[in-house]
Amino acid sequence: MVDTFCRFRLSLTLILKQCKLEMDLKIKNTGQSDFDFTTLIHTYFKTDVTKCCVLGLAGSCFSDKVNGGDDQVEARDAISIDRNIDNVYMNVPNELSLTGAASGRTVVINKQNLPDTVVWNPWIEKSKSMSDFGDDEYTQMVCVEVGRVVSPCRLGSGQTFDASQTLQVKNCC
């Protein structure tokens, strides 16, 4: 019989410093059976969506979830948000940047053991159809979500998965 419940302990430690937020994720398999999992840190950034860009993904393979999941290679150095976007980038560099975040600042995203990144904004029509999202809120946000979503992680009994993300605001002091 297959055990349909996975026993695990998850901890997320947040450390807030001046101009920096550190996040440390630990998942420990406390059960007797191995299990597979995926994880994604859903980071919503407040921004004027017409003025922001995501940097660091040029040359990365991605799946365009809006247009049927076709795999492509990112050609743009700076990804601007001008439409409904739901791209899953695979095996990306550990450092990315978001320019034009709140107050026009740049946020540097450093991640460890989280190979994938999702860039998401629902844009006009999709935001209107979402019950938990205001019709115009798409203009004030972008998600740059780091995680492990393309290839699940297998965690053996007693093993621990460690990953982290640090968000650093440049020139904030």
Side-chain angles (χ1 to χ4, degrees):
M1 182 171 149
V2 175
D3 183 9
T4 57
F5 295 99
C6 302
R7 300 193 187 287
F8 64 94
R9 181 178 306 121
L10 184 144
S11 68
L12 179 63
T13 303
L14 305 173
I15 300 173
L16 182 60
K17 298 180 179 179
Q18 186 172 358
C19 305
K20 184 188 284 190
L21 175 61
E22 298 172 355
M23 295 170 242
D24 184 45
L25 174 67
K26 293 186 185 317
I27 302 170
K28 180 173 179 139
N29 182 346
T30 58
Q32 300 301 311
S33 301
D34 297 357
F35 64 84
D36 296 327
F37 71 93
T38 59
T39 186
L40 193 63
I41 299 175
H42 293 264
T43 310
Y44 284 63
F45 291 97
K46 181 172 178 57
T47 186
D48 176 343
V49 76
T50 65
K51 296 179 181 174
C52 74
C53 289
V54 180
L55 307 174
L57 295 170
S60 296
C61 294
F62 71 95
S63 177
D64 181 346
K65 298 298 185 185
V66 173
N67 293 310
D70 292 337
D71 286 347
Q72 303 175 34
V73 175
E74 183 58 70
R76 300 171 292 174
D77 289 327
I79 300 165
S80 57
I81 311 300
D82 57 2
R83 64 187 180 282
N84 180 4
I85 184 172
D86 190 359
N87 290 350
V88 180
Y89 291 87
M90 305 160 216
N91 297 311
V92 303
N94 284 333
E95 183 174 302
L96 306 171
S97 295
L98 174 66
T99 63
S103 301
R105 297 209 168 130
T106 296
V107 177
V108 178
I109 303 163
N110 281 295
K111 59 190 188 63
Q112 298 298 318
N113 204 21
L114 297 167
D116 309 315
T117 298
V118 174
V119 177
W120 179 77
N121 181 292
W123 208 246
I124 300 165
E125 291 306 315
K126 186 164 184 176
S127 66
K128 288 179 181 177
S129 70
M130 297 170 63
S131 63
D132 62 344
F133 202 89
D135 289 356
D136 295 328
E137 286 181 338
Y138 75 93
T139 65
Q140 303 165 31
M141 58 73 63
V142 65
C143 288
V144 182
E145 308 163 281
V146 302
R148 181 178 289 268
V149 293
V150 175
S151 297
C153 181
R154 176 163 283 279
L155 206 54
S157 179
Q159 290 182 325
T160 301
F161 170 82
D162 289 301
S164 64
Q165 172 181 243
T166 300
L167 305 176
Q168 172 85 46
V169 179
K170 289 179 78 173
N171 303 321
C172 77
C173 302

